[in-house]
Amino acid sequence: MTTRIDNLKLLSFASEIDDKTIEQAKETAALPFVHPHVALMPDAHYGKGSAVGTVIPTVDAVIPAAVGVDIGCGMIAVRTTFDAGAIENLDRAELRTSIESAIPLSPGNYNRAVDRYPFTAGRIAVLEELAEADGVDLAHSPKWREQLGSLGGGNHFIELCLDEDDRVWMFLHSGSRGVGNRIAQRHIKIAQRLCRQWHIPLPNADLAYLPHGTSELDVYLRDLAWAQRFALENRAEMMDRFRQAFAHWVGHDGEPATLETERINCHHNYTVREHHGGKDVWLTRKGAIDAHEGVRGIIPGSMGTRSYIVTGKGHGGGLCSAPHGAGRRFSRTEAKRRYTEADLEAAMTGIEYRHGAEWIDEIPQAYKDIDAVMADAERLVSIDHVLRQVLNVKGT
Protein backbone atom coordinates (compact mmCIF):
# COMPACT_ATOMS: atom_id res chain seq x y z
CA MET A 1 0.00 0.00 0.00
CA THR A 2 1.05 3.61 -0.62
CA THR A 3 -0.41 6.53 1.30
CA ARG A 4 0.17 10.25 0.85
CA ILE A 5 0.20 11.82 4.32
CA ASP A 6 -1.91 14.97 4.80
CA ASN A 7 -1.15 16.22 1.27
CA LEU A 8 2.46 16.78 2.35
CA LYS A 9 5.55 15.76 0.42
CA LEU A 10 5.38 12.43 2.22
CA LEU A 11 4.55 8.96 0.89
CA SER A 12 4.26 5.95 3.18
CA PHE A 13 4.62 2.33 2.05
CA ALA A 14 4.01 0.96 5.56
CA SER A 15 0.80 -0.82 6.56
CA GLU A 16 1.98 -0.89 10.20
CA ILE A 17 3.26 2.46 11.45
CA ASP A 18 2.71 4.49 14.62
CA ASP A 19 1.70 8.14 14.97
CA LYS A 20 5.02 9.12 16.52
CA THR A 21 6.89 7.95 13.43
CA ILE A 22 4.44 9.74 11.12
CA GLU A 23 4.88 13.02 13.02
CA GLN A 24 8.65 12.68 12.83
CA ALA A 25 8.48 12.07 9.08
CA LYS A 26 6.20 15.10 8.63
CA GLU A 27 8.87 17.31 10.19
CA THR A 28 11.43 16.02 7.71
CA ALA A 29 9.11 16.33 4.70
CA ALA A 30 8.32 19.97 5.61
CA LEU A 31 11.92 21.10 5.13
CA PRO A 32 12.02 23.55 2.20
CA PHE A 33 14.84 21.79 0.32
CA VAL A 34 13.14 18.35 0.18
CA HIS A 35 12.31 17.32 -3.42
CA PRO A 36 10.18 15.66 -4.69
CA HIS A 37 8.99 13.94 -1.49
CA VAL A 38 10.06 11.84 1.48
CA ALA A 39 9.32 8.10 1.23
CA LEU A 40 8.62 6.03 4.34
CA MET A 41 9.60 2.41 3.85
CA PRO A 42 7.45 -0.54 5.06
CA ASP A 43 9.74 -1.06 8.07
CA ALA A 44 9.75 2.61 9.19
CA HIS A 45 9.89 3.33 12.91
CA TYR A 46 10.78 6.19 15.24
CA GLY A 47 14.44 7.17 15.33
CA LYS A 48 16.81 9.95 16.30
CA GLY A 49 16.18 13.14 14.33
CA SER A 50 14.36 11.42 11.47
CA ALA A 51 12.58 8.09 11.35
CA VAL A 52 14.49 4.91 10.56
CA GLY A 53 13.23 3.65 7.21
CA THR A 54 13.10 7.15 5.68
CA VAL A 55 14.33 8.10 2.21
CA ILE A 56 15.09 11.82 2.03
CA PRO A 57 15.92 13.60 -1.25
CA THR A 58 17.39 17.08 -0.72
CA VAL A 59 18.43 19.84 -3.11
CA ASP A 60 21.65 21.68 -2.24
CA ALA A 61 21.73 20.47 1.38
CA VAL A 62 22.50 17.36 3.42
CA ILE A 63 21.32 16.50 6.96
CA PRO A 64 24.17 14.68 8.78
CA ALA A 65 21.96 13.32 11.58
CA ALA A 66 19.57 11.86 8.99
CA VAL A 67 22.43 9.79 7.58
CA GLY A 68 23.04 8.81 11.20
CA VAL A 69 26.01 7.83 13.32
CA ASP A 70 26.52 4.39 11.78
CA ILE A 71 27.50 5.71 8.35
CA GLY A 72 27.37 3.04 5.67
CA CYS A 73 25.73 0.41 7.85
CA GLY A 74 24.47 -2.41 5.67
CA MET A 75 24.47 -6.06 4.71
CA ILE A 76 26.67 -8.53 2.86
CA ALA A 77 25.60 -11.98 1.69
CA VAL A 78 27.52 -14.81 0.02
CA ARG A 79 25.98 -17.89 -1.58
CA THR A 80 28.22 -20.93 -1.26
CA THR A 81 28.65 -24.07 -3.34
CA PHE A 82 27.38 -26.18 -0.42
CA ASP A 83 23.90 -27.41 0.46
CA ALA A 84 22.21 -28.43 3.70
CA GLY A 85 23.35 -32.05 3.41
CA ALA A 86 26.99 -30.99 3.64
CA ILE A 87 26.53 -29.38 7.04
CA GLU A 88 23.73 -31.34 8.74
CA ASN A 89 26.08 -33.60 10.72
CA LEU A 90 28.62 -30.89 11.61
CA ASP A 91 28.82 -29.23 15.03
CA ARG A 92 27.44 -25.72 14.54
CA ALA A 93 28.72 -24.61 17.94
CA GLU A 94 32.21 -25.30 16.62
CA LEU A 95 31.67 -22.91 13.71
CA ARG A 96 30.17 -20.28 16.01
CA THR A 97 33.21 -20.45 18.28
CA SER A 98 35.51 -20.10 15.27
CA ILE A 99 33.61 -17.03 14.04
CA GLU A 100 33.78 -15.45 17.49
CA SER A 101 37.55 -16.00 17.49
CA ALA A 102 38.03 -14.54 14.00
CA ILE A 103 35.81 -11.46 14.32
CA PRO A 104 35.85 -9.11 17.34
CA LEU A 105 32.31 -8.67 18.68
CA SER A 106 30.65 -5.90 20.72
CA PRO A 107 31.24 -2.12 20.83
CA GLY A 108 34.80 -1.08 21.58
CA ASN A 109 36.21 -4.54 20.89
CA TYR A 110 38.82 -4.26 18.11
CA ASN A 111 41.50 -6.44 16.53
CA ARG A 112 44.71 -6.79 18.55
CA ALA A 113 46.75 -6.67 15.34
CA VAL A 114 46.12 -5.97 11.65
CA ASP A 115 48.36 -8.68 10.18
CA ARG A 116 46.47 -11.84 11.20
CA TYR A 117 44.93 -12.27 7.73
CA PRO A 118 46.76 -11.66 4.43
CA PHE A 119 43.81 -9.90 2.80
CA THR A 120 43.55 -7.15 5.47
CA ALA A 121 46.59 -5.16 4.33
CA GLY A 122 45.14 -4.42 0.89
CA ARG A 123 41.97 -2.98 2.36
CA ILE A 124 43.86 -0.79 4.79
CA ALA A 125 46.04 0.49 1.93
CA VAL A 126 42.96 1.42 -0.13
CA LEU A 127 41.46 3.32 2.80
CA GLU A 128 44.74 5.08 3.58
CA GLU A 129 45.11 6.17 -0.04
CA LEU A 130 41.51 7.43 -0.18
CA ALA A 131 41.93 9.43 3.03
CA GLU A 132 45.15 10.99 1.77
CA ALA A 133 43.76 11.81 -1.68
CA ASP A 134 40.60 13.45 -0.28
CA GLY A 135 42.19 15.11 2.75
CA VAL A 136 40.12 13.13 5.26
CA ASP A 137 41.31 13.90 8.79
CA LEU A 138 41.25 10.72 10.89
CA ALA A 139 43.20 12.07 13.85
CA HIS A 140 40.09 11.52 16.01
CA SER A 141 40.31 7.75 15.41
CA PRO A 142 43.93 6.53 15.66
CA LYS A 143 42.66 2.92 16.03
CA TRP A 144 40.57 2.85 12.84
CA ARG A 145 42.78 0.18 11.27
CA GLU A 146 42.17 -2.11 14.25
CA GLN A 147 38.42 -1.53 13.86
CA LEU A 148 38.41 -2.97 10.33
CA GLY A 149 36.89 -6.45 10.50
CA SER A 150 34.96 -5.94 13.75
CA LEU A 151 31.20 -6.39 14.15
CA GLY A 152 29.95 -4.00 16.84
CA GLY A 153 26.79 -4.46 18.88
CA GLY A 154 23.08 -3.66 18.81
CA ASN A 155 21.38 -5.40 15.92
CA HIS A 156 24.62 -6.24 14.09
CA PHE A 157 24.94 -9.97 13.45
CA ILE A 158 26.59 -12.82 11.57
CA GLU A 159 24.50 -15.74 10.29
CA LEU A 160 24.70 -19.02 8.42
CA CYS A 161 21.50 -19.56 6.43
CA LEU A 162 19.76 -21.94 4.04
CA ASP A 163 17.67 -20.77 1.11
CA GLU A 164 14.52 -22.23 -0.43
CA ASP A 165 16.64 -24.85 -2.27
CA ASP A 166 18.67 -25.69 0.87
CA ARG A 167 21.77 -23.93 -0.46
CA VAL A 168 24.08 -22.51 2.21
CA TRP A 169 24.54 -18.72 2.54
CA MET A 170 26.81 -16.62 4.74
CA PHE A 171 25.23 -13.40 5.91
CA LEU A 172 26.25 -10.42 8.09
CA HIS A 173 25.22 -6.91 9.12
CA SER A 174 27.55 -4.11 10.22
CA GLY A 175 28.76 -0.59 9.39
CA SER A 176 31.58 1.91 9.88
CA ARG A 177 32.19 1.20 13.56
CA GLY A 178 33.72 3.79 15.90
CA VAL A 179 35.47 5.78 13.21
CA GLY A 180 32.19 6.33 11.34
CA ASN A 181 30.51 7.37 14.59
CA ARG A 182 33.24 9.94 15.28
CA ILE A 183 32.92 11.37 11.77
CA ALA A 184 29.12 11.58 12.08
CA GLN A 185 29.12 13.17 15.53
CA ARG A 186 31.62 15.81 14.43
CA HIS A 187 29.56 16.94 11.44
CA ILE A 188 26.21 16.75 13.25
CA LYS A 189 27.59 19.25 15.79
CA ILE A 190 28.92 21.51 13.02
CA ALA A 191 25.52 21.53 11.26
CA GLN A 192 23.74 22.34 14.52
CA ARG A 193 26.18 25.15 15.31
CA LEU A 194 25.77 26.70 11.88
CA CYS A 195 21.97 26.55 11.98
CA ARG A 196 22.01 28.25 15.39
CA GLN A 197 24.49 30.84 14.13
CA TRP A 198 22.30 31.58 11.11
CA HIS A 199 19.10 31.60 13.21
CA ILE A 200 17.50 28.89 11.07
CA PRO A 201 14.31 27.59 12.72
CA LEU A 202 14.15 23.77 12.88
CA PRO A 203 11.51 21.35 14.24
CA ASN A 204 14.36 19.65 16.12
CA ALA A 205 18.12 20.11 16.29
CA ASP A 206 18.81 16.76 14.60
CA LEU A 207 17.41 18.14 11.34
CA ALA A 208 20.25 20.66 11.17
CA TYR A 209 21.76 20.70 7.69
CA LEU A 210 24.84 21.74 5.76
CA PRO A 211 24.02 23.86 2.67
CA HIS A 212 25.58 23.84 -0.78
CA GLY A 213 28.39 26.33 -1.28
CA THR A 214 29.87 25.93 2.19
CA SER A 215 33.23 24.41 2.97
CA GLU A 216 31.53 22.53 5.81
CA LEU A 217 29.39 20.55 3.34
CA ASP A 218 32.38 19.84 1.11
CA VAL A 219 34.37 18.44 4.05
CA TYR A 220 31.40 16.38 5.25
CA LEU A 221 30.86 14.81 1.83
CA ARG A 222 34.53 13.82 1.62
CA ASP A 223 34.46 12.35 5.12
CA LEU A 224 31.13 10.66 4.39
CA ALA A 225 32.44 9.00 1.24
CA TRP A 226 35.42 7.65 3.17
CA ALA A 227 33.24 6.29 5.99
CA GLN A 228 30.91 4.63 3.48
CA ARG A 229 33.90 2.96 1.83
CA PHE A 230 35.20 1.86 5.25
CA ALA A 231 31.82 0.25 6.00
CA LEU A 232 31.85 -1.58 2.66
CA GLU A 233 35.40 -2.85 3.26
CA ASN A 234 34.59 -3.73 6.87
CA ARG A 235 31.80 -6.06 5.78
CA ALA A 236 33.98 -7.58 3.06
CA GLU A 237 36.80 -8.14 5.57
CA MET A 238 34.48 -9.91 8.02
CA MET A 239 32.96 -11.99 5.24
CA ASP A 240 36.39 -13.15 4.11
CA ARG A 241 37.18 -14.20 7.70
CA PHE A 242 33.79 -15.92 7.99
CA ARG A 243 34.40 -17.69 4.68
CA GLN A 244 37.80 -18.93 5.89
CA ALA A 245 36.27 -20.27 9.12
CA PHE A 246 33.45 -21.91 7.16
CA ALA A 247 35.88 -23.48 4.68
CA HIS A 248 37.83 -25.07 7.52
CA TRP A 249 34.62 -26.24 9.21
CA VAL A 250 33.29 -28.04 6.13
CA GLY A 251 36.70 -29.41 5.15
CA HIS A 252 36.94 -27.44 1.90
CA ASP A 253 40.28 -28.34 0.28
CA GLY A 254 40.63 -25.47 -2.19
CA GLU A 255 41.06 -21.75 -1.73
CA PRO A 256 38.21 -20.35 0.41
CA ALA A 257 37.26 -18.01 -2.44
CA THR A 258 36.28 -20.97 -4.60
CA LEU A 259 33.40 -21.91 -2.31
CA GLU A 260 31.31 -18.80 -3.13
CA THR A 261 29.13 -18.35 -6.20
CA GLU A 262 27.81 -14.82 -5.67
CA ARG A 263 28.34 -11.90 -3.29
CA ILE A 264 26.08 -8.90 -2.58
CA ASN A 265 27.28 -5.97 -0.44
CA CYS A 266 24.90 -3.05 0.10
CA HIS A 267 24.52 -0.01 2.36
CA HIS A 268 21.32 1.00 4.11
CA ASN A 269 22.51 4.14 6.00
CA TYR A 270 24.09 6.51 3.50
CA THR A 271 23.87 9.48 1.14
CA VAL A 272 24.43 9.37 -2.61
CA ARG A 273 23.90 11.66 -5.60
CA GLU A 274 20.84 10.56 -7.64
CA HIS A 275 18.23 12.01 -10.02
CA HIS A 276 14.61 12.15 -8.81
CA GLY A 277 11.64 14.33 -9.71
CA GLY A 278 13.55 15.96 -12.57
CA LYS A 279 16.40 17.17 -10.36
CA ASP A 280 19.77 16.01 -9.11
CA VAL A 281 19.44 15.49 -5.37
CA TRP A 282 21.40 14.19 -2.43
CA LEU A 283 19.43 11.06 -1.55
CA THR A 284 19.75 9.94 2.06
CA ARG A 285 18.63 6.40 2.77
CA LYS A 286 18.29 6.09 6.53
CA GLY A 287 17.38 2.44 6.95
CA ALA A 288 16.68 1.73 3.27
CA ILE A 289 18.47 0.03 0.37
CA ASP A 290 19.01 0.97 -3.26
CA ALA A 291 16.19 -0.61 -5.29
CA HIS A 292 16.82 0.80 -8.77
CA GLU A 293 15.69 -1.59 -11.49
CA GLY A 294 17.93 -4.63 -11.57
CA VAL A 295 19.95 -3.75 -8.44
CA ARG A 296 20.46 -6.67 -6.05
CA GLY A 297 19.75 -6.07 -2.38
CA ILE A 298 19.44 -7.71 1.02
CA ILE A 299 16.53 -7.38 3.47
CA PRO A 300 17.15 -9.25 6.74
CA GLY A 301 14.49 -10.25 9.21
CA SER A 302 15.14 -10.32 12.93
CA MET A 303 17.15 -13.10 14.58
CA GLY A 304 15.11 -16.26 14.22
CA THR A 305 13.02 -15.11 11.24
CA ARG A 306 13.39 -15.17 7.47
CA SER A 307 15.61 -12.87 5.40
CA TYR A 308 15.45 -12.03 1.71
CA ILE A 309 17.71 -11.55 -1.30
CA VAL A 310 15.90 -9.16 -3.64
CA THR A 311 16.13 -7.26 -6.93
CA GLY A 312 14.95 -3.67 -7.24
CA LYS A 313 12.06 -2.64 -9.48
CA GLY A 314 12.98 1.06 -9.75
CA HIS A 315 9.71 2.34 -8.29
CA GLY A 316 9.67 6.14 -8.63
CA GLY A 317 7.28 6.76 -5.74
CA GLY A 318 9.59 4.81 -3.48
CA LEU A 319 12.56 6.84 -4.76
CA CYS A 320 14.05 3.60 -6.09
CA SER A 321 14.44 2.34 -2.52
CA ALA A 322 13.26 -0.57 -0.39
CA PRO A 323 13.14 -1.51 3.32
CA HIS A 324 16.31 -2.56 5.12
CA GLY A 325 14.79 -5.13 7.48
CA ALA A 326 11.88 -5.91 9.73
CA GLY A 327 11.95 -2.62 11.66
CA ARG A 328 11.48 -2.39 15.41
CA ARG A 329 8.02 -2.70 16.93
CA PHE A 330 9.19 -2.19 20.52
CA SER A 331 12.10 -0.20 21.89
CA ARG A 332 14.96 -2.10 23.52
CA THR A 333 13.75 -1.08 26.96
CA GLU A 334 10.20 -2.21 26.22
CA ALA A 335 11.39 -5.51 24.75
CA LYS A 336 13.36 -6.27 27.92
CA ARG A 337 10.29 -5.45 29.99
CA ARG A 338 8.00 -7.71 27.96
CA TYR A 339 10.17 -10.75 27.29
CA THR A 340 12.46 -13.16 29.12
CA GLU A 341 15.50 -15.23 28.27
CA ALA A 342 13.19 -18.26 28.10
CA ASP A 343 11.09 -16.46 25.48
CA LEU A 344 14.22 -15.86 23.44
CA GLU A 345 15.24 -19.51 23.68
CA ALA A 346 11.82 -20.58 22.45
CA ALA A 347 12.00 -18.16 19.51
CA MET A 348 15.45 -19.49 18.55
CA THR A 349 14.57 -23.20 18.64
CA GLY A 350 16.71 -25.09 16.13
CA ILE A 351 19.18 -22.20 15.64
CA GLU A 352 22.69 -22.19 17.10
CA TYR A 353 23.20 -18.84 18.87
CA ARG A 354 24.87 -17.09 21.78
CA HIS A 355 22.61 -17.68 24.77
CA GLY A 356 22.16 -14.97 27.38
CA ALA A 357 19.93 -12.21 28.70
CA GLU A 358 22.02 -9.64 26.78
CA TRP A 359 20.09 -10.41 23.60
CA ILE A 360 16.51 -10.26 24.88
CA ASP A 361 16.02 -6.84 23.25
CA GLU A 362 16.75 -8.48 19.87
CA ILE A 363 14.04 -11.14 20.24
CA PRO A 364 12.01 -11.54 17.01
CA GLN A 365 8.82 -10.38 18.75
CA ALA A 366 10.42 -6.93 19.24
CA TYR A 367 10.36 -6.48 15.46
CA LYS A 368 7.64 -6.13 12.84
CA ASP A 369 6.46 -9.20 10.95
CA ILE A 370 8.98 -9.51 8.10
CA ASP A 371 6.33 -11.16 5.90
CA ALA A 372 4.09 -8.09 6.27
CA VAL A 373 7.05 -5.81 5.48
CA MET A 374 7.81 -7.79 2.32
CA ALA A 375 4.16 -7.72 1.27
CA ASP A 376 4.23 -3.92 1.59
CA ALA A 377 7.43 -3.87 -0.49
CA GLU A 378 5.95 -5.84 -3.40
CA ARG A 379 6.04 -2.82 -5.74
CA LEU A 380 9.59 -1.94 -4.69
CA VAL A 381 11.43 -5.27 -5.10
CA SER A 382 11.06 -8.80 -6.37
CA ILE A 383 12.16 -11.68 -4.15
CA ASP A 384 15.00 -13.86 -5.44
CA HIS A 385 15.75 -16.01 -2.40
CA VAL A 386 14.22 -16.62 1.03
CA LEU A 387 16.73 -17.49 3.74
CA ARG A 388 16.30 -19.16 7.12
CA GLN A 389 18.99 -19.13 9.81
CA VAL A 390 20.74 -22.16 11.22
CA LEU A 391 23.37 -20.16 13.13
CA ASN A 392 23.37 -16.64 14.58
CA VAL A 393 26.18 -14.62 16.19
CA LYS A 394 25.41 -11.22 17.70
CA GLY A 395 27.52 -8.60 19.39
CA THR A 396 26.19 -7.14 22.63
Side-chain angles (χ1 to χ4, degrees):
M1 61 175 292
T2 309
T3 305
R4 182 172 290 277
I5 307 296
D6 293 347
N7 293 318
L8 297 174
K9 293 190 290 184
L10 177 60
L11 291 181
S12 173
F13 289 80
S15 59
E16 179 187 344
I17 192 165
D18 62 89
D19 293 341
K20 195 176 178 182
T21 303
I22 291 290
E23 290 305 312
Q24 192 172 43
K26 285 181 180 180
E27 290 181 348
T28 305
L31 293 169
F33 47 81
V34 166
H35 173 84
H37 60 265
V38 166
L40 275 174
M41 295 291 100
D43 58 334
H45 61 91
Y46 189 80
K48 182 174 173 58
S50 56
V52 179
T54 308
V55 185
I56 309 166
T58 53
V59 177
D60 294 337
V62 177
I63 308 166
V67 181
V69 296
D70 196 0
I71 296 169
C73 186
M75 298 290 308
I76 185 170
V78 162
R79 180 160 69 91
T80 77
T81 57
F82 291 87
D83 62 20
I87 66 170
E88 69 176 329
N89 294 321
L90 299 179
D91 183 357
R92 294 173 192 171
E94 180 182 311
L95 176 60
R96 179 172 63 80
T97 300
S98 181
I99 292 168
E100 291 168 7
S101 173
I103 299 173
L105 310 174
S106 307
N109 190 16
Y110 306 150
N111 296 280
R112 295 178 182 176
V114 298
D115 58 357
R116 181 178 177 184
Y117 297 94
F119 42 75
T120 308
R123 293 194 171 100
I124 290 176
V126 166
L127 291 165
E128 288 175 336
E129 291 167 9
L130 181 60
E132 183 176 356
D134 290 351
V136 176
D137 181 7
L138 297 171
H140 51 68
S141 299
K143 291 281 192 180
W144 70 262
R145 294 169 185 83
E146 287 81 1
Q147 293 173 22
L148 185 72
S150 62
L151 184 70
N155 61 354
H156 292 169
F157 63 81
I158 303 163
E159 289 183 336
L160 191 71
C161 302
L162 300 174
D163 69 13
E164 67 284 349
D165 293 321
D166 275 350
R167 293 172 298 198
V168 178
W169 289 71
M170 298 180 289
F171 211 60
L172 67 85
H173 171 210
S174 191
S176 55
R177 306 296 289 109
V179 63
N181 187 294
R182 290 285 182 90
I183 288 170
Q185 296 286 6
R186 175 190 175 199
H187 291 287
I188 289 169
K189 290 175 182 176
I190 291 172
Q192 291 173 342
R193 175 177 57 78
L194 290 178
C195 285
R196 287 195 304 268
Q197 179 182 318
W198 296 331
H199 305 290
I200 295 174
L202 295 168
N204 70 73
D206 283 320
L207 289 178
Y209 58 91
L210 297 171
H212 176 74
T214 63
S215 61
E216 289 84 357
L217 178 61
D218 293 339
V219 173
Y220 175 58
L221 291 174
R222 290 198 297 268
D223 289 359
L224 181 70
W226 187 91
Q228 290 175 181
R229 181 59 182 269
F230 180 94
L232 200 75
E233 297 291 350
N234 187 44
R235 288 192 295 275
E237 174 74 17
M238 284 187 284
M239 183 55 76
D240 285 354
R241 297 184 189 187
F242 184 6
R243 185 182 66 191
Q244 188 159 310
F246 176 81
H248 176 75
W249 183 61
V250 296
H252 180 67
D253 294 330
E255 285 294 316
T258 62
L259 63 75
E260 66 174 89
T261 61
E262 64 177 310
R263 177 178 290 213
I264 306 161
N265 193 349
C266 65
H267 295 319
H268 55 225
N269 281 2
Y270 71 115
T271 292
V272 67
R273 196 72 166 159
E274 291 188 5
H275 192 81
H276 295 278
K279 293 185 179 182
D280 291 331
V281 300
W282 288 107
L283 191 76
T284 296
R285 293 185 173 100
K286 180 178 182 178
I289 63 171
D290 183 355
H292 278 84
E293 186 174 2
V295 172
R296 303 294 299 284
I298 306 166
I299 304 177
S302 57
M303 63 187 295
T305 62
R306 285 181 291 278
S307 296
Y308 295 84
I309 306 296
V310 299
T311 298
K313 293 183 176 180
H315 190 283
L319 300 173
C320 297
S321 303
H324 79 313
R328 293 199 74 92
R329 175 178 285 142
F330 302 124
S331 69
R332 296 188 181 280
T333 300
E334 180 64 15
K336 288 178 179 178
R337 188 188 71 80
R338 285 174 175 257
Y339 301 108
T340 66
E341 188 175 346
D343 294 328
L344 178 59
E345 288 184 10
M348 296 295 286
T349 299
I351 301 171
E352 174 65 34
Y353 77 105
R354 301 175 79 196
H355 289 251
E358 303 97 312
W359 296 279
I360 291 173
D361 57 0
E362 284 292 301
I363 192 170
Q365 293 92 316
Y367 285 82
K368 295 182 181 181
D369 179 354
I370 188 63
D371 292 333
V373 169
M374 295 308 297
D376 288 347
E378 185 178 3
R379 285 190 290 166
L380 307 177
V381 292
S382 58
I383 296 171
D384 300 328
H385 301 291
V386 182
L387 310 183
R388 62 190 189 279
Q389 304 99 325
V390 295
L391 178 150
N392 173 281
V393 178
K394 273 190 177 289
T396 53

